[in-house]
C-alpha cells in the first residue's frame, strides 16, 4: 500500500520553513527532499528517517521499523510533530550530501 498524496502533502506542509521542500515518487512510495537532499522516506503513510549517529540522542525514544522488505531498520517519526520533524531536518540537512548526477547514456 503506497502513501496517499494527501499524506505526502501534509508532511511537506509540516516541513514549511525548513528549506525548499519537495517530494518525489520512488519505488511506489515517496522521498521527501529538503534543499534537494533526500531526508525522509514515506512508506505506507509512515515517515521514516535513517538511523544515523547524529540523530541518536534526539530520537532515542522513537519507535523503529522497516519501511520495506530488505531495508535496514529506521526511525519512525510522528508526522503530526512539526517541531520534531524540523529538528531532524536541521540536523540532517547540513550533513546530507546532494545526490550525484546521473550520467546520460548515449545510444
Amino acid at each position: 500500500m503506497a502513501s496517499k498524496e494527501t499524506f505526502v502533502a501534509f508532511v511537506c506542509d509540516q516541513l514549511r520553513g525548513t528549506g525548499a521542500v519537495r517530494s518525489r515518487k520512488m519505488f511506489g512510495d515517496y522521498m521527501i527532499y529538503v534543499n534537494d537532499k533526500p531526508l525522509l522516506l514515506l512508506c505506507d503513510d509512515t515517515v521514516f528517517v535513517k538511523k544515523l549517529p547524529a540523530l541518536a540522542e534526539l530520537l532515542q525514544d522513537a519507535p523503529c521499523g522497516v519501511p520495506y522488505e530488505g531495508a535496514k531498520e529506521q526511525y519512525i517519526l510522528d508526522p503530526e510533530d512539526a517541531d520534531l520533524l524540523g529538528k531532524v531536518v536541521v540536523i540532517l540537512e547540513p550533513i546530507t550530501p546532494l545526490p550525484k548526477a546521473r550520467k546520460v547514456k548515449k545510444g
Side-chain angles (χ1 to χ4, degrees), residues 15 18 34-35 37-40 49-60 75 77 82-97:
L15 294 171
T18 61
V34 177
N35 298 329
K37 297 178 179 184
L39 300 185
L40 303 175
V49 65
K50 282 186 181 180
K51 283 184 140 184
L52 298 172
L55 296 172
E57 185 177 334
L58 178 65
L59 300 176
Q60 64 187 356
Y75 293 117
L77 302 179
D83 184 51
L84 180 62
L85 290 174
K87 287 177 183 177
V88 167
V89 169
V90 166
I91 291 169
L92 289 183
E93 199 278 332
I95 64 171
T96 302

Side-chain angles (χ1 to χ4, degrees), residues 7 10-11 14 45 47 77-82 85:
F7 178 75
F10 174 73
V11 174
Q14 291 287 79
D45 289 342
V47 181
L77 302 179
D78 178 2
E80 300 281 338
D81 191 346
L85 290 174

